Amino acid sequence: MVRKTTGQAKTTSITENDLRQHIRAKGADYLKDPNITSVGIGLKNGDGPICIQFTVGRKGESALESLATKRVPETIDVNGTAVPTDVIERSYSPSFKIVAPEQIDMRKQRIDPIRPGVSVSHIAETAGTIGLIVFDRATGTPCILSNWHVLNGNEGRIGDPIVQPGPYDDNNVSSNGVGELLRSHLGAAGDCALARIRFRDYDRSVYGLNVVPKRMAQVSLGDKVIKSGRTTANTRGIVRRIDVMAKIDYGAPAGEQAIGGFEIGPDKDALPSDGEISKGGDSGAAWLIFEKGKATDIFAGLHFAGESDAVADEHALACYPASVQKKLDFVFEPDVATLSTVSGMESVVPRNGYDANFLGLSLPVPTLSTGLKRDAVNFERGQTIPYTHFSVCLSAKRRMARYVAWNIDGTRMVVLPRKGFSLDPRIDAKYQLGNDFYVDNRIDRGHIARRADLCWGPVDEAKQANSDSFYFTNIAPQHERYNQSSRKGLWGELENLVFEQADLQDIKLSVQAGPIFGEDDIVYRGATIPRAFWKIIGYVGTDGKLRCAAFILSQENLLNDLESLDLDPFRLYQVSLKELAVKTALDFGAIEESDLLLRPELIAKTASREALIASQTTMKEIRLPGDLVL
């Protein structure tokens, strides 16, 4: 939406558009002067003719001498017309500098759903403001719109965690994740960034204003605006300079940057009690057009700076919406066709993931060390991603599951056809080893949680589990002969063999499995391929006790030559949980007592359990089904 100029007392023969073009062409050159802090279009002395308005750090002869600066001429030639100038003493600083703590309010608390107008920040920054909730144009993903210096900053990188509220308001950052940095820009087009929303719901209405912005304005002099910010809440202003190019120092390494936008002064009809329309922490707030006594749904600008501490003249700077949108590529409303194509995760039943108490006794997922927790791709507040009947702990470094845990109800199995593989749209593609890796080689897309294991329950629920099993988070690189080895497919049949041979109380299993990551794993096509895989199968015996059998299948020999047909077979072992813990760096201590290799008849005869463990064989090669200890 284009706004018409209002409140202009006098005009010259020059047009506003001519001045816009001049500032855009010459603005950066003017800012090379060490004393000039900004240049834009305004009204001379606040109510005079339209002019080219300069702000300087210091006025007077002493500034000219000490700063090696030049006097701003009284007029500047623009397309043959002498345009008057105006000079104001003023400097700027980014609005991320935090003021003294005020009385705590909801804007500075953790909220779910999140809303524009509340505290947010990069995990290494302080606190700014959520400007708007918008959508990535390409994927329809909901995103937070705010400033570069709020969501990125000098220490930030794409993919970094974003927290709500910012660390200044709540330093418990481990519990406050809201998403991750998606895109950012710092330059003439603005100080702006997008963060993908991951772990919270969202409400698009602006906190305190209760409007959902859906349109954009190109503001003109005299337009009235209102914003909702983390620090000063709802404040009103009037656009008093347009096409401003301001010089702002963001510190190392970004340094001084020329940022484009417009300037807002206080609205005399609605002055805050302290006269401040913005303070530190308001960065990223959205200015909206204010008409007929209320905020509209028209996005006017993205707040990014205010006056420095030494300047008494109250004002704020905002980026133009169209420039920010062009750099960050977002939309106000997601395309319905895009959303249906990208998400593909319609829910018949909630995706509650693995149930540790599915067997009636607890079989928890393995415990991660601190280092492995850092490598896990977080989902909401945990290190596992929930699906239908299974959960995935995804390694960010390896781009595949560290482990998958799933439940099997053998009495309610449903036979379903195969589906196509796809990326999980909830998880950043950079953490998923996608389809391109598997083209034209002997590497198969191998399910970790078996598709057939997951297809149980009512038909629609089983169909959802079947589809979920084909997300690449549940897929690992496996040689094409993985389940056609000389072991006659024992690995793929282990669950079936347990159902057939074990003394089960119920026809239910809980299973955990994953790759064994090694430092010497083979690097192929930019990914590191595991040499072996592990699996734990748990069930409750007729004696009411939990029993667990652990296995390792090595494909090391097969990986010696990925293009060869002359390949050695796999080797399958049943191993102790203690041995598996050593090989995987996972902690299975919670279920170690249920290890089937620690045979009950020997436990009764042995006084010392530690002596028993030391005496037992920790690895047993499985050549035939009869070799299994169940």
Side-chain angles (χ1 to χ4, degrees):
M1 177 176 179
V2 177
R3 308 291 303 173
K4 294 182 179 179
T5 303
T6 60
Q8 184 176 316
K10 298 179 182 179
T11 62
T12 67
S13 59
I14 198 77
T15 68
E16 190 175 289
N17 188 59
D18 290 332
L19 294 183
R20 289 180 188 270
Q21 296 294 333
H22 180 78
I23 295 297
R24 290 169 184 171
K26 302 291 186 181
D29 292 333
Y30 290 134
L31 293 181
K32 291 178 181 178
D33 186 298
N35 196 31
I36 292 176
T37 57
S38 77
V39 58
I41 303 167
L43 301 179
K44 191 172 180 69
N45 298 322
D47 58 0
I50 194 167
C51 67
I52 297 177
Q53 199 169 63
F54 292 86
T55 62
V56 296
R58 288 168 53 194
K59 294 178 71 173
E61 295 300 324
S62 62
L64 293 175
E65 295 174 2
S66 62
L67 298 176
T69 183
K70 295 180 180 179
R71 189 185 302 276
V72 175
E74 293 186 1
T75 63
I76 291 177
D77 184 273
V78 178
N79 297 340
T81 299
V83 178
T85 63
D86 195 13
V87 180
I88 304 169
E89 189 173 69
R90 186 181 298 160
S91 60
Y92 298 96
S93 63
S95 290
F96 61 80
K97 188 175 181 181
I98 301 300
V99 298
E102 298 85 6
Q103 183 178 356
I104 292 177
D105 60 33
M106 287 304 296
R107 294 177 184 272
K108 301 168 190 175
Q109 302 300 300
R110 186 186 192 280
I111 66 170
D112 193 356
I114 60 170
R115 296 180 68 181
V118 304
S119 174
V120 74
S121 177
H122 182 280
I123 196 169
E125 293 296 327
T126 52
T129 299
I130 296 176
L132 298 176
I133 305 296
V134 295
F135 299 88
D136 178 47
R137 186 188 302 275
T139 66
T141 302
C143 297
I144 291 168
L145 172 64
S146 190
N147 290 145
W148 175 92
H149 70 262
V150 172
L151 300 181
N152 189 320
N154 283 308
E155 298 183 27
R157 298 290 184 272
I158 300 302
D160 279 358
I162 304 301
V163 292
Q164 189 290 312
Y168 182 87
D169 295 323
D170 183 352
N171 62 8
N172 185 22
V173 294
S174 61
S175 300
N176 291 334
V178 71
E180 58 193 29
L181 181 62
L182 179 63
R183 283 190 287 277
S184 63
H185 172 77
L186 183 65
D191 174 345
C192 53
L194 282 185
R196 178 189 290 108
I197 298 171
R198 284 276 190 222
F199 314 124
R200 310 270 187 93
D201 200 356
Y202 58 89
D203 176 349
R204 295 167 59 196
S205 64
V206 181
Y207 191 96
L209 300 180
N210 299 318
V211 295
V212 178
K214 298 178 180 178
R215 297 178 287 168
M216 294 192 303
Q218 180 178 316
V219 298
S220 291
L221 296 171
D223 282 344
K224 292 190 174 185
V225 292
I226 188 171
K227 70 109 184 71
S228 174
R230 170 254 179 214
T231 307
T232 57
N234 301 337
T235 56
R236 287 165 51 184
I238 296 179
V239 177
R240 67 182 186 188
R241 286 205 299 161
I242 57 175
D243 282 77
V244 172
M245 189 72 74
K247 181 168 58 183
I248 298 181
D249 188 352
Y250 287 88
E256 282 192 349
Q257 298 283 335
I259 310 296
F262 61 94
E263 184 179 292
I264 301 161
D267 183 344
K268 295 179 181 178
D269 295 331
L271 288 175
S273 58
D274 61 359
E276 299 284 343
I277 61 172
S278 70
K279 290 182 179 179
D282 285 333
S283 279
W287 289 95
L288 307 179
I289 294 297
F290 186 82
E291 285 182 338
K292 299 179 180 179
K294 63 181 181 180
T296 69
D297 66 351
I298 305 171
F299 179 30
L302 188 68
H303 179 78
F304 71 94
E307 77 281 354
S308 62
D309 292 339
V311 176
D313 181 33
E314 175 62 19
H315 56 273
L317 291 177
C319 312
Y320 283 110
S323 298
V324 169
Q325 184 188 46
K326 184 176 180 180
K327 285 296 181 183
L328 299 181
D329 201 22
F330 64 82
V331 292
F332 288 105
E333 299 288 346
D335 181 80
V336 174
T338 298
L339 277 179
S340 61
T341 300
V342 173
S343 69
M345 295 193 79
E346 296 79 8
S347 294
V348 175
V349 296
R351 289 177 167 85
N352 293 325
Y354 173 75
D355 181 0
N357 296 306
F358 180 73
L359 301 176
L361 297 175
S362 178
L363 203 169
V365 296
T367 303
L368 302 178
S369 66
T370 301
L372 296 190
K373 284 182 179 179
R374 293 194 187 104
D375 178 58
V377 175
N378 287 336
F379 186 87
E380 295 183 348
R381 299 186 189 181
Q383 282 87 42
T384 58
I385 306 164
Y387 296 91
T388 312
H389 304 158
F390 71 104
S391 296
V392 174
C393 178
L394 189 63
S395 165
K397 180 179 179 181
R398 298 294 289 260
R399 294 183 291 160
M400 66 185 80
R402 185 169 294 277
Y403 68 79
V404 181
W406 67 99
N407 305 118
I408 308 172
D409 188 336
T411 64
R412 299 197 292 157
M413 304 303 291
V414 178
V415 178
L416 294 170
R418 293 177 63 85
K419 305 284 287 186
F421 295 93
S422 62
L423 299 175
D424 184 336
R426 303 172 299 172
I427 307 300
D428 196 310
K430 69 182 180 181
Y431 299 128
Q432 303 178 67
L433 198 58
N435 196 58
D436 290 346
F437 175 80
Y438 296 94
V439 177
D440 296 327
N441 57 34
R442 298 193 177 279
I443 299 297
D444 274 354
R445 305 166 186 84
H447 283 74
I448 298 177
R450 287 200 318 170
R451 181 179 73 88
D453 288 350
L454 303 171
C455 298
W456 54 268
V459 173
D460 286 345
E461 180 178 330
K463 286 182 176 179
Q464 181 172 300
N466 185 39
S467 296
D468 284 3
S469 77
F470 282 88
Y471 286 117
F472 277 108
T473 51
N474 181 45
I475 305 302
Q478 298 170 353
H479 195 277
E480 63 183 4
R481 290 175 61 192
Y482 191 80
N483 278 330
Q484 293 85 42
S485 72
S486 63
R487 295 295 177 260
K488 298 181 180 180
L490 284 177
W491 181 256
E493 292 296 315
L494 279 175
E495 291 93 320
N496 296 344
L497 292 170
V498 173
F499 277 131
E500 292 171 6
Q501 298 185 21
D503 183 24
L504 282 76
Q505 185 180 79
D506 296 306
I507 311 301
K508 290 184 176 182
L509 302 178
S510 285
V511 186
Q512 300 172 7
I516 295 178
F517 295 146
E519 295 296 328
D520 60 346
D521 285 345
I522 294 172
V523 177
Y524 181 69
R525 289 190 174 182
T528 309
I529 306 175
R531 297 174 181 272
F533 292 83
W534 62 273
K535 183 180 289 187
I536 295 173
I537 301 177
Y539 62 92
V540 175
T542 54
D543 59 0
K545 294 181 180 179
L546 178 67
R547 301 178 183 180
C548 293
F551 304 91
I552 289 176
L553 180 70
S554 170
Q555 63 173 352
E556 180 171 359
N557 291 336
L558 289 175
L559 297 178
N560 289 335
D561 185 353
L562 289 170
E563 310 301 331
S564 172
L565 289 174
D566 184 16
L567 299 168
D568 292 329
F570 294 91
R571 302 190 73 177
L572 175 62
Y573 301 90
Q574 187 167 356
V575 301
S576 69
L577 289 171
K578 187 173 183 181
E579 179 71 17
L580 186 59
V582 172
K583 293 186 177 298
T584 61
L586 297 170
D587 184 355
F588 302 103
I591 58 173
E592 193 173 288
E593 295 280 0
S594 64
D595 193 341
L596 278 163
L597 279 189
L598 303 181
R599 294 186 289 267
E601 65 270 23
L602 291 179
I603 292 177
K605 298 177 182 179
T606 306
S608 168
R609 183 175 182 278
E610 288 71 25
L612 172 65
I613 293 174
S615 70
Q616 294 300 297
T617 301
T618 58
M619 296 187 69
K620 172 183 172 65
E621 186 167 5
I622 305 298
R623 296 177 177 273
L624 298 169
D627 295 332
L628 296 170
V629 179
L630 297 174

